[in-house]
Amino acid sequence: MKKIGIYAIIVSSALALGGISGFGSKKLFGTVFDDYSGFNVDIYKINGDELIRKVEAKATTKDKIASFTPIELINYSIEKYKRCDHSYSYSIGNADAGISIQKVRSSQIRDEDKYFEESASDGIIGCAMRSFQIRGENTVDIYSASTASIKDDDPIFPYSSIPLSYTLPTYKQMYGKTLDEMFIYIIHDKTVKSATIKEQKDETYVVNFELDPALSTYWYKRQMVSISDLDCQPTFDYVRLTYTLDKNLMLVSLYTDESFIAKWSGFEKSTKNTLFTKYFPNDNSRKIPELNEPFHYGEVK
């Protein structure tokens, strides 16, 4: 499978930091990189069904907000979204590595038991990949394109006709999440530095997070290494997420602002990613496209 390189990284996410035994750092090529030896990621798992039950025991949105933290509320919104039989999302943004700016696009569709994802980057090096998964089966199929040109809202990428297939556990270890998991940042009491929630005049809610740049990106770094063929896992300087929720606390959008240092082919490079994601829960207007059929990166036509 074609790898993408540091100039085309695809973006596809102050409390006690207890329970992180084994976490530290190591120095490599002059830069301190995070060392996860002995790190136990299982302590950050969310029981989605239990969280939904607890939050929905409160009658109104205002009751929910008064009774739960922003961390609990955003995980509630994420878990509700994951349980929609039909949904889609798309992301549009840039990866700024100083000497070049990459256009980045990503999308997700769930159509009952079928899942689809696309990630693409257009710049000095352009590449794209599409992944397909069927719920209940143990494989994910990946199709790659060694070139990518994002000139409009309907880019078409020359995907290979033969996929690479991975078991779900292997895909998760390589790419950080399976398609049905959908979200890659770890948002937990132990991975959040600060969090706020504010009601807007239009009855939406804005939730801001400053995440711990090492702990929250544990799975994300695996994805970046696999997609971008990095020499080692990158180090994040910061991760800032701004979610918008509707009056029922369902996901509407996410603005991602993050900065990291990554090493590729012996060279370190600092990169800043900015990405805007729109979510469409309980919406079956988008069907999973055929392999070389475009996904429209914009509102439904």
Side-chain angles (χ1 to χ4, degrees), residues 61-247:
T61 297
K62 291 190 182 297
D63 289 339
K64 292 177 174 67
I65 291 173
S67 302
F68 297 95
T69 68
I71 297 169
E72 291 171 314
L73 292 171
I74 208 65
N75 277 299
Y76 165 74
S77 300
I78 286 171
E79 292 298 328
K80 280 210 308 178
Y81 184 88
K82 287 164 62 175
R83 285 159 176 72
C84 296
D85 287 337
H86 298 276
S87 65
Y88 74 92
S89 67
Y90 63 84
S91 304
I92 297 174
N94 295 301
D96 186 351
I99 63 171
S100 66
I101 297 179
Q102 302 288 131
K103 294 179 182 178
V104 292
R105 301 288 185 270
S106 64
S107 57
Q108 297 177 329
I109 298 175
R110 179 182 178 182
D111 182 7
E112 295 184 338
D113 291 336
K114 298 178 182 178
Y115 295 85
F116 160 88
E117 285 190 8
E118 178 172 77
S119 296
S121 176
D122 178 4
I124 292 177
I125 303 172
C127 292
M129 60 180 283
R130 281 186 171 183
S131 301
F132 298 84
Q133 177 185 332
I134 297 176
R135 191 177 183 87
E137 297 186 4
N138 194 39
T139 58
V140 177
D141 290 335
I142 301 176
Y143 298 82
S144 62
S146 58
T147 61
S149 178
I150 303 171
K151 296 181 179 179
D152 55 32
D153 287 340
D154 300 276
I156 299 176
F157 308 114
Y159 287 107
S160 60
S161 59
I162 300 175
L164 291 175
S165 296
Y166 297 96
T167 64
L168 295 185
T170 300
Y171 186 87
K172 167 114 178 182
Q173 289 302 311
M174 291 180 64
Y175 292 96
K177 63 177 179 59
T178 55
L179 273 60
D180 57 308
E181 290 177 315
M182 296 187 179
F183 300 87
I184 203 160
Y185 294 102
I186 301 174
I187 302 176
H188 186 279
D189 287 350
K190 297 179 175 63
T191 71
V192 174
K193 296 172 68 175
S194 65
T196 62
I197 185 168
K198 184 178 180 180
E199 184 176 3
Q200 305 295 101
K201 292 181 180 179
D202 62 357
E203 294 185 296
T204 62
Y205 296 86
V206 173
V207 189
N208 287 291
F209 290 103
E210 177 90 24
L211 300 185
D212 181 287
L215 300 177
S216 67
T217 57
Y218 174 81
W219 291 114
Y220 185 22
K221 289 176 180 179
R222 290 173 179 251
Q223 182 186 82
M224 293 171 72
V225 169
S226 294
I227 290 178
S228 303
D229 199 22
L230 302 180
D231 295 350
C232 55
Q233 292 189 359
T235 295
F236 279 78
D237 298 314
Y238 64 81
V239 178
R240 298 165 185 152
L241 306 181
T242 300
Y243 289 92
T244 299
L245 310 179
D246 69 13
K247 63 182 180 180

